[in-house]
Amino acid sequence: MALLKIARMGHPVLLTTAQIVDAIDDLAVQKLIDDMVETMFDAAGAGLAAPQVHVSKRIIVYRTPPGRVEEESDQDDSVKVLVNPVLKPSGVETTLRLEGCLSIPGLRGWVPRYTRVFYEGYDRRGERIAGEVGGFQANVLQHEVDHLDGVLYPMRMTDLRLLGFDTEAERHLRLDQIQGDRS
């Protein structure tokens, strides 16, 4: 396995729609998945999309780190692989989520996300998988699939006053403060 270089905001690979993976069992695809998992852990990330490592393929890897469990679907902390994913909202309810990104180091912002989503795609063995998640996993799936569609989280933000550097965001962009200021 190898650590892969993470593309940063401004690189064109992050702004293009990733290509469908035709042969999931291809050795190069399997190596890419292994390398993405290693890179995600090395960077202390919760998810990683192939375009973030300069590969325009529809592959994501993700996990629920300790301390981020919000509901039952978050309980499984194993690494998950989703190839050619499709997401659909499981309702109309949205919430603001504080997000960061390995491709946008040092910044965080409040992003509106669906609270629950249906997902479908394939695992690394090429088996079809589908389900519904909420909580942290719903957030991570939406964030990572956005990468496959050439969308970075600031592009989803509705108020750029809710974007800040990590240390400032921790102090001044807390949801209780934001909701109080907006009422």
Side-chain angles (χ1 to χ4, degrees):
M1 291 193 287
L3 293 178
L4 303 171
K5 183 175 180 181
I6 296 175
R8 290 182 152 198
M9 184 170 61
H11 193 287
V13 73
L14 296 173
L15 300 174
T16 59
T17 301
Q19 300 168 349
I20 296 287
V21 177
D22 293 318
I24 297 170
D25 61 346
D26 182 90
L27 290 178
V29 170
Q30 292 298 311
K31 180 175 180 350
L32 173 62
I33 291 169
D34 289 339
D35 292 347
M36 287 175 61
V37 170
E38 185 175 0
T39 301
M40 176 182 68
F41 276 106
D42 182 71
L48 189 66
Q52 290 183 275
V53 292
H54 302 271
V55 179
S56 186
K57 295 287 184 187
R58 297 189 75 77
I59 302 170
I60 65 171
V61 298
Y62 64 100
R63 66 190 182 100
T64 303
R68 301 302 297 267
V69 174
E70 296 174 17
E71 60 176 63
E72 191 172 326
S73 63
D74 293 332
Q75 295 290 338
D76 180 4
D77 65 351
S78 65
V79 173
K80 293 158 195 71
V81 175
L82 198 51
V83 180
N84 299 330
V86 175
L87 293 186
K88 294 179 184 161
S90 176
V92 296
E93 185 180 353
T94 62
T95 188
L96 287 175
R97 303 290 304 215
L98 185 61
E99 295 188 17
C101 182
L102 297 175
S103 293
I104 311 173
L107 293 175
R108 296 208 176 277
W110 288 96
V111 183
R113 296 290 187 186
Y114 289 102
T115 56
R116 300 193 65 76
V117 294
F118 292 110
Y119 67 90
E120 61 181 278
Y122 298 89
D123 66 14
R124 72 175 306 156
R125 295 180 312 277
E127 303 284 329
R128 186 181 177 285
I129 54 176
E132 179 183 7
V133 292
F136 185 77
Q137 282 193 32
N139 187 192
V140 171
L141 280 173
Q142 290 170 83
H143 179 104
E144 299 308 332
V145 170
D146 270 354
H147 278 299
L148 304 182
D149 296 329
V151 176
L152 298 172
Y153 79 83
M155 300 158 105
R156 293 268 186 222
M157 294 180 67
T158 55
D159 186 347
L160 290 179
R161 293 176 298 173
L162 304 180
L163 177 68
F165 289 102
D166 288 337
T167 53
E168 299 303 317
E170 286 175 22
R171 265 186 278 164
H172 304 294
L173 292 180
R174 293 195 331 263
L175 189 55
D176 59 335
Q177 293 174 325
I178 291 165
Q179 289 175 332
D181 291 345
R182 296 176 131 197
S183 5

